[in-house]
Amino acid sequence: MTDEIVLGPLPKGITLAGEGMGSRVWNVLGHRYAMKSAAESSFAFETFDPPGTGVPPHVHPTQDEHIYVLEGVFTLYLDGEWLTAGPGDTVRMPKNLPHAYYNRGEAPSRGLFWVSPAGQLARLFDRLHDLTDMAEAVRVSAEHDVHFLPPGEVGEPPSGPGA
């Protein structure tokens, strides 16, 4: 990515369906993220998550995060519990809460994610774009206030469709 995202007050306007704000789209570890809104106060992005993909358990120490599920089912780790959320559900993940999400179904899933405040998440996605090395992704994420838990610390998510 070449254009730096400069955060300021929330700009007015509409981000059209199927588009990312300013055409900003990232490929992050098998997921497609499209920026929907960026400001100092919040950052929103839409995800497209193919079957079998996920984001391992991690913590945002300075951001509250939400997911509004648009399509499919997310298998979620939320502070010691494995849960599922489907279309129309809203997931709330307060700062410092260990969380993860996976698509364990047979169809793609989509969600609208947002964090508040925006922090360094957009810059992190710029750094993670097209990166395939998970160890490097964990290292770079820590530099941007996203801290992954050690592998195996929370156990494996349930498997199977809708799990």
Side-chain angles (χ1 to χ4, degrees), residues 60-98:
H60 300 259
T62 61
Q63 297 168 304
D64 292 327
E65 185 173 16
H66 303 79
I67 306 169
Y68 181 77
V69 182
L70 299 167
E71 294 177 10
V73 174
F74 287 122
T75 299
L76 303 149
Y77 176 80
L78 296 175
D79 195 26
E81 290 186 82
W82 288 102
L83 306 166
T84 59
D89 292 341
T90 300
V91 180
R92 297 176 312 276
M93 300 167 287
K95 65 183 167 188
N96 288 315
L97 179 90

Side-chain angles (χ1 to χ4, degrees), residues 13 18-19 34 48 86 96 99 118 132 155 158:
E19 291 185 5
F48 177 82
N96 288 315
H99 62 278
T132 58

